[in-house]
C-alpha cells in the first residue's frame, strides 16, 4: 500500500494501524465532524493518521512547518481547530484553545487492551478536509470539501484511466496542495501503491528520475514545473529503454509548457500525458484534456472538458 525508501506497508498492516489509531483518537474525543490540524513528516505514519481520522469520522487540515507562525495561528483560529497532530521534533506554536498530540505517542502499542474503532456515523456530506489557499491575493481562505465530492473524483480518475493494483504513484506534492488528495486516497482506492518521496528527495529532481526508472513508477501527478525540473536528466540515461513503466502523467495547477508533453513521451513512450484543471473549490480537478499531440501553431494546451458530474 505504502512505500518509502526501504520501508513497505501492506494494505493489511496499514489498515490494522489505522484502525488502532482511530480507536485512540476516538478515546481522545476526536470524532465525527472534528477538524484536526496535521503537521507531519512525509512517512507511512502520515498516511496512517489520515486514514485513522476518516475512520474516526474527523476531517484534516494540512499545516506547513515552513509557514510563518501568524499564518498557522490564523488557520487554527479560522477553522476553530481543537486538535493538532504533529511530530515531536516539530516546533509549532499553537493557541490556548488547541491541544497538541504527538504521532509517536499515539502510535505506541501499549500492553493494556484498547477499544477498537467505533462506527463514526460519518456521512458522504460530512467534511473530508479543509485546504487553505496560498493567500497571494489577500487573506488565505479555507476551502471545505466533503467526502461525496472526493469520491466522485476518485471514481472518475480510476475508471477513466484504468488505475489498479498494478499502479505505483510517486507522491511528490505537499499535503497542503490538493493534488495530494488523489495521490493518497485515489491510489489506495485503486489498490495501488503510494511511493512516498521523503523531504530530502523532494528537492532532488535527479533522484526522482532515478526512482521512476528503478522502482517501476507507473503514475506521475504534479504541477508542470515539478516535472519540468526532471527534463535535464531525460537524455542522460539509457536505462529508459529498459525501464519504461511510466504510463500516466497528470499535469495541473499551472500553465503547461508547450514543449513538455513531447519531452515526456520522447523518453517514456508508453506515457499518456493529461492536462487537468480546476479550483480547489471544485475538488482537485473539474476538467481534463488528453494530450495526444501538440499541434503546430498551438500557443497553449487546451483546457479540456468537464469530468463526470461537472459542467
Amino acid at each position: 500500500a505504502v512505500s518509502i525508501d526501504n520501508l513497505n506497508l501492506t494494505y493489511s498492516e496499514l489498515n490494522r494501524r489505522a484502525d488502532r489509531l482511530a480507536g485512540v483518537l476516538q478515546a481522545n474525543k476526536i470524532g465525527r465532524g472534528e477538524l484536526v490540524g496535521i503537521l507531519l513528516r512525509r512517512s507511512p505514519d502520515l498516511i496512517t493518521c489520515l486514514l485513522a481520522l476518516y475512520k474516526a469520522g474527523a476531517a484534516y487540515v494540512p499545516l506547513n512547518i515552513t509557514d510563518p507562525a501568524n499564518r498557522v495561528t490564523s488557520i487554527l483560529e479560522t477553522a476553530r481547530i481543537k486538535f493538532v497532530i504533529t511530530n515531536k521534533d516539530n516546533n509549532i506554536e499553537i493557541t490556548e484553545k488547541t491541544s497538541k498530540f504527538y504521532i509517536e505517542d499515539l502510535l505506541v502499542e501499549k500492553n493494556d487492551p484498547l477499544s477498537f474503532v467505533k462506527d463514526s456515523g460519518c456521512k458522504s456530506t460530512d467534511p473530508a478536509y479543509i485546504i487553505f489557499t496560498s493567500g497571494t491575493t489577500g487573506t488565505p481562505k479555507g476551502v471545505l470539501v466533503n467526502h461525496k465530492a472526493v469520491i466522485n473524483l476518485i471514481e472518475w480518475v480510476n475508471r477513466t484511466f484504468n488505475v489498479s493494483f498494478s499502479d505505483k504513484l510517486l507522491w511528490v506534492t505537499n499535503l497542503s496542495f490538493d493534488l495530494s488528495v488523489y495521490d493518497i486516497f485515489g491510489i489506495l482506492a485503486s489498490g495501488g501503491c503510494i511511493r512516498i518521496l521523503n523531504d530530502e528527495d523532494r528537492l532532488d529532481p535527479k533522484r526522482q528520475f532515478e526512482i521512476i526508472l528503478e522502482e517501476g513508477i507507473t503514475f506521475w501527478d504534479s504541477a508542470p514545473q515539478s516535472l519540468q525540473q526532471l527534463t535535464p536528466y531525460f537524455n542522460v540515461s539509457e536505462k529508459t529503454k529498459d525501464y519504461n513503466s511510466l504510463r500516466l502523467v497528470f499535469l495541473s495547477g499551472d500553465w503547461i509548457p508547450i514543449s513538455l508533453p513531447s519531452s515526456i513521451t520522447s523518453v517514456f513512450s508508453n506515457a499518456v500525458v493529461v492536462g487537468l484543471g480546476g479550483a480547489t473549490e471544485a475538488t482537485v480537478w473539474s476538467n481534463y484534456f488528453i494530450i495526444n499531440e501538440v499541434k503546430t501553431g498551438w500557443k497553449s494546451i487546451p483546457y479540456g472538458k468537464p469530468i463526470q458530474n461537472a459542467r
Side-chain angles (χ1 to χ4, degrees):
V2 180
S3 172
I4 181 170
D5 303 326
N6 296 319
L7 176 63
N8 299 297
L9 280 183
T10 66
Y11 272 87
S12 177
E13 292 167 334
L14 177 63
N15 193 55
R16 180 185 63 81
R17 286 160 56 94
D19 275 344
R20 186 190 175 282
L21 179 55
V24 173
L25 295 176
Q26 288 179 330
N28 282 281
K29 311 299 183 185
I30 299 177
R32 181 183 174 190
E34 200 69 61
L35 301 174
V36 180
I38 298 295
L39 183 62
L40 294 170
R41 286 192 301 275
R42 300 168 63 83
S43 72
D45 287 351
L46 170 57
I47 308 297
T48 300
C49 184
L50 296 179
L51 281 178
L53 285 170
Y54 280 173
K55 287 172 179 284
Y60 71 93
V61 184
L63 304 170
N64 291 313
I65 192 68
T66 55
D67 282 347
N70 61 343
R71 175 178 167 87
V72 173
T73 300
S74 173
I75 290 174
L76 296 178
E77 292 178 346
T78 302
R80 298 188 179 92
I81 294 174
K82 298 178 184 176
F83 306 99
V84 169
I85 300 176
T86 187
N87 296 108
K88 285 186 175 180
D89 56 1
N90 283 341
N91 184 21
I92 176 177
E93 295 182 15
I94 60 175
T95 64
E96 295 179 355
K97 299 178 181 178
T98 307
S99 299
K100 185 191 299 184
F101 290 98
Y102 294 117
I103 191 68
E104 293 88 349
D105 295 336
L106 294 174
L107 289 174
V108 170
E109 296 198 19
K110 299 178 182 178
N111 294 323
D112 55 308
L114 279 170
S115 57
F116 290 100
V117 57
K118 302 178 179 65
D119 183 0
S120 68
C122 185
K123 298 184 181 298
S124 65
T125 51
D126 285 353
Y129 61 84
I130 294 179
I131 285 182
F132 277 76
T133 60
S134 60
T136 52
T137 58
T139 303
K141 68 173 184 288
V143 178
L144 186 149
V145 177
N146 63 26
H147 288 277
K148 184 177 181 180
V150 179
I151 291 168
N152 177 68
L153 175 82
I154 289 172
E155 197 278 336
W156 173 80
V157 173
N158 290 352
R159 175 177 50 80
T160 303
F161 297 99
N162 298 312
V163 185
S164 72
F165 66 90
S166 61
D167 279 298
K168 190 174 188 178
L169 178 139
L170 186 61
W171 180 34
V172 300
T173 57
N174 193 302
L175 188 65
S176 59
F177 190 11
D178 65 354
L179 299 191
S180 65
V181 174
Y182 176 80
D183 294 345
I184 296 170
F185 302 106
I187 293 301
L188 292 180
S190 76
C193 177
I194 306 166
R195 172 46 166 102
I196 305 172
L197 268 186
N198 62 41
D199 291 317
E200 182 179 347
D201 288 343
R202 281 192 73 224
L203 304 176
D204 187 347
K206 183 179 180 182
R207 178 62 187 140
Q208 294 169 31
F209 183 56
E210 291 171 349
I211 292 172
I212 292 173
L213 301 184
E214 296 169 0
E215 299 188 24
I217 300 299
T218 67
F219 196 159
W220 174 281
D221 176 31
S222 78
Q225 292 84 350
S226 295
L227 187 53
Q228 184 86 36
Q229 294 178 0
L230 274 63
T231 56
Y233 306 101
F234 279 5
N235 297 321
V236 299
S237 176
E238 291 297 315
K239 288 184 178 181
T240 52
K241 295 179 180 178
D242 301 319
Y243 299 91
N244 199 357
S245 61
L246 191 65
R247 71 172 192 89
L248 200 55
V249 175
F250 278 17
L251 301 173
S252 63
D254 209 340
W255 174 276
I256 301 174
I258 285 289
S259 61
L260 184 55
S262 58
S263 295
I264 297 166
T265 54
S266 66
V267 175
F268 300 106
S269 58
N270 293 333
V272 174
V273 183
V274 186
L276 303 105
T280 303
E281 292 85 345
T283 314
V284 191
W285 303 302
S286 56
N287 53 279
Y288 75 109
F289 181 82
I290 298 175
I291 311 170
N292 292 317
E293 64 173 328
V294 177
K295 296 182 179 179
T296 304
W298 277 9
K299 295 182 178 180
S300 65
I301 304 298
Y303 203 44
K305 294 185 177 181
I307 73 167
Q308 68 180 17
N309 299 316
R311 61 187 177 89

